[in-house]
Amino acid sequence: MLVGIDLGTSAVKILACTPDGTPVASQSAAYPLETPRPEWVEQDDDTVYRAAMKALHDALDDVRMRGDEVIAIGFSCAMHGVLPVDANGEPLGPLVTWMDRRSAAIADRWRADGTAERLYAKTGAPVHPMLPSCKLRWFAEHEPQTIATTARFVSLKELFVFRWTGEWRIDWGMASGTGLYDPVGRQWDGDALHAARIGPEKLSTLAPPSTTLRGPKPSVAKALGLAEDTAVVLASSDGALANLGVGAVEAGELALTLGTSGAIRTVVDAPAFDPHGRTFCYAYDDRKFIAGGPTSSAGAVVNALTALFLDEVAPRDRFDVAVALAEKAAPGANGLTLMPFLSGERAPYWIAELRGGITGLDLSHTRADVMRAAFESVVFALASVYEVLRERTGDVRRVRLSGGLCRAALVRQLVADVFECEAVLANQEEASAFGAAMLAGIAVGAIAGDRAVAALLQPVHIHRPDPDAVARYRAFFARYRAAVTANLPLYLA
């Protein structure tokens, strides 16, 4: 068996599968986010660790009941988190998550004085409050005692790997999301470290994603029922592993995720930096890179709008009711355009303070139109990123889907029509966890490579663009872009 552990923003997902991709056990466990102050979004590391270990223990119980043996475990993790720890690896505070915006003023300052442009050219990471580089500078300016007393600043994945193996390692994929790492030179960037006011001694040792560490400590192995020689593979970031998990590993294929947030990513052989810093370029595996961009405008926006407009519906039913309503409305939402920036936006604008709105609203509109506009807007948000990305990587012939919103046929067809290419949902629902398991298999020689992983996946749904809808959505997307362009000056310094 191969096991993937995906430490997500709001839940951990565990998947055990055979080297041919057949799932045999899975578990998940949710954990909360904490907002002690406005714009602060934190997490208790102990709560996450306990939830993840319990879910993993339960999944491994199912594996043992089959008489199977785990040969390798790979880690996926949400990017951009910062956790201060002491010399013994004990946390000195909560995890500051990617959603935290306390360093927004620093990001604004760096954009204004040219620092952002200079750092992007070295790191491939657009400056935004989500980046650990901005967070660390915030600590340096507002809590210098935290910098002084902290032995290392790490991610949740690094904490897990240390507790399991006693080693502080960070894979190139996770390091790419810090804003401190040079993905071309494969090293911490001195200019970025200086801007963050941090030294490399307070960061983990860099390592390729295929790095295989010695098995878990005897105490961990015993608690989980693992052999002590079980391979622990660093793997990569959740985004990179989602590409592997959906099979988007070749030129001309795009991975599109629509979960709580959204993202598009494509694997490239050489670095693909945007001259205007609108998209990221991170490490994918030991050799290749991923280029793309994340949006904050996805499931969280849909959830907020359904809570606002469908408050009489039970929360568990709101998504299905929203989809049913949206299907009743005409494409283009009868002239309604929604800008889905309820919590700022990342790519391609990178404006944390950006906010959305609804235009074209008149007395004839219904909740169905609003729901239709909501789903269209989250697809338009990612299409805006694709417009930038295609300048560097060219057109795509296929979009491979993942994320909770993609369980709706309405959303899948919207992607096909707006992106004007085939949209495919494969038979692996947990893309990052599956990708982590598969990369672990590649690292230990149980799987030939990422193309072999792609060949294992079977399409469950294939949506092809409808020519009439494509023509209409070109016009609707142009209307959306015009609305956003008119809105941006309200939030630009």
Side-chain angles (χ1 to χ4, degrees), residues 66-81:
R66 292 168 44 97
D68 293 322
E69 181 183 355
V70 175
I71 60 171
I73 298 176
F75 280 93
S76 166
C77 186
M79 304 175 82
H80 316 303

Side-chain angles (χ1 to χ4, degrees), residues 195-446:
R197 300 293 189 264
I198 196 77
E201 72 282 355
K202 289 186 180 287
L203 302 172
S204 294
T205 301
L206 292 163
S210 67
T211 298
T212 303
L213 304 177
R214 64 177 183 268
K217 295 176 180 177
S219 59
V220 175
K222 182 178 180 181
L224 294 172
L226 291 169
E228 291 185 19
D229 61 352
T230 304
V232 177
V233 179
L234 294 185
S236 193
S237 68
D238 58 348
L241 294 169
N243 268 65
L244 179 60
V246 299
V249 298
E250 297 189 56
E253 297 209 323
L254 192 71
L256 183 150
T257 302
L258 276 171
T260 302
S261 60
I264 60 169
R265 303 166 305 273
T266 188
V267 175
V268 291
D269 291 327
F273 286 24
D274 175 56
H276 304 291
R278 295 166 294 179
T279 52
F280 63 64
C281 183
Y282 295 158
Y284 162 66
D285 61 8
D286 291 12
R287 296 183 300 106
K288 298 179 182 179
F289 305 83
I290 53 168
T295 76
S296 301
S297 308
V301 172
V302 172
N303 288 342
L305 291 172
T306 57
L308 185 63
F309 288 95
L310 301 174
D311 65 315
E312 80 282 6
V313 178
R316 67 178 180 278
D317 299 326
R318 285 176 185 162
F319 179 78
D320 292 337
V321 172
V323 170
L325 284 170
E327 289 174 336
K328 294 178 181 178
N334 292 311
L336 203 64
T337 299
L338 192 148
M339 292 169 284
F341 314 125
L342 304 191
S343 58
E345 186 54 295
R346 293 181 287 171
Y349 316 109
W350 302 101
I351 304 175
E353 296 77 20
L354 185 61
R355 293 295 179 268
I358 298 175
T359 66
L361 185 66
D362 65 33
L363 294 173
S364 70
H365 283 117
T366 66
R367 290 195 298 180
D369 296 317
V370 174
M371 292 300 104
R372 181 87 190 193
F375 285 111
E376 290 177 346
S377 73
V378 298
V379 175
F380 289 157
L382 286 177
S384 300
V385 183
Y386 174 55
E387 280 196 322
V388 175
L389 185 63
R390 72 199 301 185
E391 296 173 10
R392 309 262 71 78
T393 62
D395 292 335
V396 298
R397 65 179 183 275
R398 183 178 298 113
V399 175
R400 295 187 179 269
L401 305 169
S402 65
L405 266 64
C406 293
R407 70 180 187 266
L410 167 74
V411 174
R412 299 193 298 268
Q413 189 60 50
L414 276 172
V415 171
D417 294 337
V418 173
F419 282 72
E420 300 184 24
C421 66
E422 183 178 86
V424 178
L425 183 68
N427 59 335
Q428 289 291 350
E429 293 185 7
E430 302 300 342
S432 294
F434 181 64
M438 292 294 99
L439 189 52
I442 294 170
V444 299

Side-chain angles (χ1 to χ4, degrees), residues 108-176:
D108 290 342
R109 186 198 317 159
W110 285 358
R111 284 194 293 267
D113 67 12
T115 301
E117 183 178 359
R118 187 178 74 251
L119 294 183
Y120 174 82
K122 295 185 173 187
T123 67
V127 165
H128 185 272
M130 71 179 183
L131 290 184
S133 56
C134 292
K135 296 182 175 79
L136 291 170
R137 180 60 178 261
W138 184 91
F139 278 119
E141 294 182 4
H142 296 274
E143 295 184 9
Q145 72 280 6
T146 300
I147 297 288
T149 59
T150 296
R152 293 180 191 273
F153 292 93
V154 300
S155 66
L156 280 176
K157 184 202 285 199
E158 292 161 76
L159 181 70
F160 272 72
V161 170
F162 175 76
R163 287 181 175 175
W164 281 32
T165 70
E167 298 189 45
W168 288 114
R169 299 289 191 98
I170 182 170
D171 62 84
W172 295 342
M174 289 295 293
S176 293

